[in-house]
Amino acid sequence: MIELEENTSLEELQRLPFWEKGEILVSSDPAGEGNMNLVLRVKTNRRSVILKQSKPYVRKYPQIAAPINRIEIEKTYYSLIETDKVLKGFSPKVLAYLPESHLLILEDLGLGSDFTFLYGGKNTLDPQILKGLADYLNALHGLQIESFPDNSVMKKLNHEHIFNFPFAVENGFDLDSIQQGLQEISMDYKREKELKEALTKLGDRYLSNGNTLLQGDFYPGSWLNVAGGLKIIDPEFGFLGDKEFDLGVLFAHFSLAHQHENLRKEFLKEYKHPFSAELLDQYQGVEILRRLIGIAQLPVSLSLSQKKSLLEKARNLVLRN
Ligand SMILES: Nc1ncnc2c1ncn2[C@@H]1O[C@H](COP(=O)(O)OP(=O)(O)OP(=O)(O)O)[C@@H](O)[C@H]1O
Ligand SMILES: [Mg+2]
C-alpha cells in the first residue's frame, strides 16, 4: 500500500511497482483541478502518465467520507469501454491498476482544459464538440453490459447531494454566502411538499438499478479538450441506470451555462436511443436545482433574478408543469 500526497517525493514514486527498467522520474505535479481524489501528472525520461488514487474520504474535504473502492469503478468502466471503437477514442488508456494502493495509472491525454469555462456564459458550445458528446453517449448507452458494480455507496453519496441536502430546510449551508438573497429564494423549494414528494420518487429511481451503463457525472467538468480532441474522463459515479440521467445532467448544464435552447434539439438530432422525455425533464430539473441551491456549486455567472427564473423552470421540469 502506497499512500500518495501532492508532495510525495520522486524517490518514493519511483518505488511504485510500475515503471519500466531504466525509466527515471523527472517531475510530479497535480494534474488539474479536482476535489475528490489525488490526481498527479508524473513525467519520466520516457513519457508522462496520470496517477489517480482514491482515499476513504473526499480529498479536499477530509471530513466527508467517500468509498475508497470508487477507483475500481473507474478501472472497470474504462476496461469495459475499451472494447468499443468509438468510446476508446474518447478515453485514456488504463496503463495499470494497483488495487492494494487504490491507484489507477492512466495514459496522459495531455495538457488541455475542461469545459467549465462555459459557465461564464460567453461561449457557445462548438458544434463539433456537441457532436462528440452525442457520439459518446450513443456508443455508451448502446453497450450490451453483462454486469457492472452497483456503485451503491457513491450513488448514496450523490443521492444525498442531489435529492436531499439541497432541499433540507435546516441544512446549515448559508446560500447568502454564495449570493445575497439566494437563501430566501431557496426556501420556496425547501418547503414545497409536492416538489419534495416528486424528488423522493425520482431519487429512489436513481438509486435503483437499470440496464444502461452511464457515465454518471456527464457535465463540463468531465469533458476535456486536448490536442487529440474531446475526451471524457472521471467515470467514478458510473452505474447501470436510466440513460435519461446522463441526458438530464447534460441538458441541465446547458441551462446553467446559458446555452441556447436549440442546442438540445441539435443534440437530440444526433442521439439515437429511445428515451422518456418526462424522465429526462425530471433529472434535468433536479440537476439545475441542486447546482443552484446545493453544496456542489459551479462558477456560474447568473444574477439573482436569473437564478430565480431558472429555479422556477427547473421546478416545473421536475413536476412536469
Ligand atoms: N488521463 C488524463 N489525462 C490528462 N489530464 C487528466 C487525466 N485525468 C485527469 N486529468 C486532469 O486532472 C483533473 C482531475 O482529474 P479528475 O477529474 O479525474 O479528478 P477528480 O478528483 O475525480 O475530480 P472531481 O473532484 O471533479 O471529481 C482533470 O480535470 C484533468 O485536468
Ligand atoms: Mg471525480
Side-chain angles (χ1 to χ4, degrees):
M1 166 77 199
I2 298 168
E3 187 71 48
L4 301 179
E5 296 304 335
E6 271 184 16
N7 60 2
T8 297
S9 68
L10 293 180
E11 273 170 308
E12 212 169 319
L13 289 171
Q14 185 87 57
R15 276 191 232 120
L16 284 168
F18 166 71
W19 313 108
E20 294 165 0
K21 199 157 172 262
E23 188 166 25
I24 296 157
L25 272 54
V26 176
S27 66
S28 163
D29 296 286
E33 295 292 319
N35 298 324
M36 287 287 285
N37 305 284
L38 181 83
V39 191
L40 298 174
R41 168 174 282 113
V42 176
K43 292 190 177 155
T44 77
N45 56 339
R46 294 186 185 160
R47 58 182 166 169
S48 179
V49 300
I50 300 290
L51 308 190
K52 183 164 181 176
Q53 185 175 56
S54 58
K55 313 275 180 187
Y57 49 82
V58 176
R59 196 182 56 85
K60 233 184 191 166
Y61 309 102
Q63 68 281 11
I64 305 178
I68 193 155
N69 68 353
R70 60 188 181 275
I71 198 70
E72 194 187 326
I73 299 291
E74 290 205 36
K75 147 82 170 70
T76 309
Y77 181 98
Y78 282 134
S79 305
L80 260 177
I81 69 173
E82 218 169 50
T83 56
D84 182 277
K85 272 207 306 284
V86 175
L87 296 169
K88 197 175 164 182
F90 285 104
S91 313
K93 277 195 206 63
V94 172
L95 302 178
Y97 174 52
L98 310 180
E100 67 289 352
S101 294
H102 308 285
L103 180 64
L104 188 60
I105 307 184
L106 295 169
E107 169 194 7
D108 184 357
L109 296 167
L111 284 177
S113 64
D114 64 22
F115 285 78
T116 51
F117 66 85
L118 289 171
Y119 300 117
K122 295 201 164 63
N123 298 277
T124 302
L125 192 63
D126 182 284
Q128 269 313 103
I129 300 292
L130 188 72
K131 167 92 169 49
L133 297 174
D135 290 345
Y136 185 87
L137 289 186
N138 274 334
L140 183 69
H141 294 171
L143 288 180
Q144 299 291 325
I145 303 289
E146 303 277 302
S147 72
F148 192 78
D150 66 17
N151 208 2
S152 60
V153 186
M154 281 296 267
K155 275 171 79 183
K156 273 190 201 122
L157 184 68
N158 222 17
H159 175 272
E160 170 64 16
H161 286 287
I162 299 175
F163 298 94
N164 284 341
F165 179 94
F167 307 98
V169 174
E170 304 272 349
N171 63 16
F173 180 40
D174 178 14
L175 286 163
D176 286 343
S177 71
I178 303 295
Q179 200 162 13
Q180 195 56 42
L182 190 57
Q183 180 69 22
E184 194 189 324
I185 290 174
S186 77
M187 293 318 287
D188 285 350
Y189 306 95
K190 294 173 176 163
R191 294 209 173 104
E192 192 187 348
K193 199 161 162 263
E194 200 191 348
L195 177 66
K196 299 217 324 188
E197 279 169 9
L199 289 175
T200 301
K201 238 172 110 186
L202 191 63
D204 287 348
R205 185 156 184 144
Y206 169 78
L207 286 176
S208 66
N209 295 314
N211 305 313
T212 307
L213 182 61
L214 308 183
Q215 198 273 349
D217 198 14
F218 202 66
Y219 86 114
S222 300
W223 316 335
L224 280 187
N225 202 7
V226 295
L230 172 68
K231 306 288 172 181
I232 309 293
I233 59 164
D234 203 12
E236 62 189 339
F237 285 103
F239 66 103
L240 293 176
D242 293 324
K243 49 177 122 50
E244 292 84 354
F245 183 75
D246 276 345
L247 300 174
V249 168
L250 172 69
F251 282 12
H253 289 265
F254 286 170
S255 289
L256 291 160
H258 309 253
Q259 299 296 301
H260 197 278
E261 199 61 35
N262 262 347
L263 216 61
R264 290 178 175 74
K265 290 202 191 89
E266 293 302 317
F267 176 86
L268 290 176
K269 272 188 209 158
E270 299 288 335
Y271 187 73
K272 65 177 191 200
H273 300 291
F275 62 92
S276 151
E278 176 174 355
L279 200 51
L280 190 164
D281 279 357
Q282 290 194 299
Y283 283 128
Q284 184 188 348
V286 71
E287 176 70 7
I288 294 174
L289 287 164
R290 73 100 170 202
R291 290 295 190 167
L292 293 177
I293 65 173
I295 202 104
Q297 293 281 323
L298 296 165
V300 293
S301 57
L302 296 162
S303 68
L304 195 61
S305 71
Q306 284 174 316
K307 284 188 183 172
K308 197 173 170 176
S309 54
L310 203 47
L311 286 165
E312 204 46 30
K313 170 183 154 172
R315 170 197 171 273
N316 292 334
L317 285 170
V318 174
L319 295 176
R320 297 284 292 167
N321 285 339

